[in-house]
Amino acid sequence: MKVAVLGECMIELSQQVGDQFKIGFGGDTLNTAIYLCRCHGKADYFTALGNDPYSQSMLNAWQEEGIGIEHVKIKNNALPGLYIINNDEDGERHFQYWRQNSPARTLLSDYPSVLDEIKSYEMIFLSGITLSLYPQDDLIAFFNCLSQYRKQGGIVVFDNNYRPRNWMGVDTAVQVFSKMMTLTDVALISFDDEKSLYGEHSVEQCINRWVDAGVEEVVVKNGHHGCHLYKDKQHEFYPLKSVLKPVDTTAAGDSFNGAYLAAKLQSKDIKDCISAGQQCASTVIMYKGAIIERNIALTDGGS
């Protein structure tokens, strides 16, 4: 099964030694697509780029990763967004964005055929950041598309990935997320982001909110505290095998998603899916930037 991954990729400047920065590319859903493919899954990426050299470099790199690019739209006289990653002494990342004119923001209005193209896939993956890109009319059209898609048997996978600066306010984000929850089959969510949206609450309350909305499979990623899984009306906790001091937590959750979905698509036991996600994320956080070198093994199953 090949996954349709929908979102935005940007030029990435990641802090190295001192004031030195390394240029690369990244974006939450693109990161997931890359790690999904590296863990022997298959993905096609849906986004819009410009006709500039940086966009072309992205396309070349994605093809080398095995990501399908036939649905990437190219908009003339446009440039992709850009972000800078700074890390504090604990490896926690801090972002600065320049993305207001990114062509990915108008993907659905400029290329409405995308809503038909994604329906041919058995699984769609997107995130809260994906939702934050689109204006209200595009969101309505997109939600209608997902509703029809699920009625036809399609599976929707959603990572909450809430970034406050991407939204007009928390109330707007909660309203959009509440609708998205009713259209989700598999939720791969960050507990920190849930607390940012809904205030302090327990993991159990978090899971119940998603289950009450109709989500059948919920993974709550909680950093070094491990993760929780709700599936088949059972709640299981999976601690980390070891707690590491991260170099850079960028793409920790995204890489978990990629490895988890790759294992799931290979019909592995759910415990093995969780283990693959945790192992992949534990590897990625020990290197700078969202995308680590391809020769680094991510799971026991290979690189």
Side-chain angles (χ1 to χ4, degrees), residues 53-258:
Y54 295 105
S55 294
Q56 187 58 54
S57 294
M58 288 184 194
L59 292 174
N60 294 342
W62 301 350
Q63 286 183 297
E64 291 178 3
E65 295 282 358
I67 297 173
I69 62 170
E70 61 181 294
H71 297 290
V72 176
K73 310 302 182 184
I74 304 300
K75 187 173 183 178
N76 291 333
N77 302 315
L79 291 169
L82 177 147
Y83 70 100
I84 295 178
I85 306 172
N86 296 102
N87 297 101
D88 59 29
E89 60 184 15
D90 294 321
E92 190 60 44
R93 74 264 194 239
H94 303 277
F95 297 94
Q96 301 294 330
Y97 294 98
W98 292 262
R99 68 195 307 188
Q100 285 304 112
N101 296 316
S102 164
R105 302 183 74 88
T106 55
L107 172 68
L108 301 183
S109 50
D110 288 341
Y111 309 97
S113 62
V114 165
L115 296 178
D116 290 321
E117 293 169 15
I118 61 175
K119 290 180 183 177
S120 66
Y121 291 76
E122 295 178 56
M123 179 179 286
I124 295 173
F125 175 83
L126 67 145
S127 75
I129 294 178
T130 306
L131 297 180
S132 73
L133 296 173
Y134 307 137
Q136 182 67 20
D137 288 347
D138 288 358
L139 277 177
I140 292 173
F142 183 55
F143 287 153
N144 288 336
C145 170
L146 291 183
S147 179
Q148 296 169 11
Y149 171 79
R150 295 178 75 228
K151 290 178 182 178
Q152 298 167 1
I155 299 170
V156 176
V157 183
F158 180 66
D159 178 344
N160 57 351
N161 251 6
Y162 170 60
R163 299 292 181 268
R165 71 181 63 194
N166 294 356
W167 297 89
M168 292 183 63
V170 67
D171 290 343
T172 301
V174 167
Q175 182 179 11
V176 173
F177 275 59
S178 295
K179 178 61 178 178
M180 186 65 217
M181 291 164 67
T182 68
L183 299 169
T184 298
D185 298 289
V186 180
L188 305 175
I189 58 179
S190 160
F191 190 43
D192 283 343
D193 289 352
E194 288 290 286
K195 289 187 290 186
S196 294
L197 276 166
Y198 301 102
E200 286 292 336
H201 61 288
S202 68
V203 171
E204 288 74 16
Q205 289 173 310
C206 173
I207 291 173
N208 289 339
R209 179 169 53 251
W210 288 82
V211 172
D212 289 345
V215 183
E216 297 182 352
E217 182 174 329
V218 182
V219 177
V220 180
K221 298 169 286 185
N222 197 16
H224 67 272
H225 298 293
C227 68
H228 296 253
L229 170 71
Y230 177 91
K231 183 176 172 62
D232 298 327
K233 299 183 179 180
Q234 298 293 321
H235 178 186
E236 299 286 344
F237 170 64
Y238 295 86
L240 294 179
K241 293 179 181 178
S242 61
V243 178
L244 306 172
K245 180 177 174 57
V247 173
D248 184 352
T249 59
T250 305
D254 306 333
S255 57
F256 178 102
N257 295 343

Side-chain angles (χ1 to χ4, degrees), residues 1-7 29-30 32-34 36-37 41-47 62-63 65-72 117-118 120-121 123-126 265:
M1 182 191 301
K2 186 177 285 188
V3 183
V5 181
L6 185 72
T29 54
L30 189 278
T32 290
I34 286 178
L36 191 158
C37 289
K42 296 180 180 180
D44 285 350
Y45 200 56
F46 285 72
T47 193
W62 301 350
Q63 286 183 297
E65 295 282 358
I67 297 173
I69 62 170
E70 61 181 294
H71 297 290
V72 176
E117 293 169 15
I118 61 175
S120 66
Y121 291 76
M123 179 179 286
I124 295 173
F125 175 83
L126 67 145
L265 296 176

Side-chain angles (χ1 to χ4, degrees), residues 287-301:
Y287 297 88
K288 286 281 189 179
I291 309 301
I292 67 175
E293 296 294 330
R294 289 167 61 187
N295 62 346
I296 299 170
L298 297 173
T299 68
D300 292 333

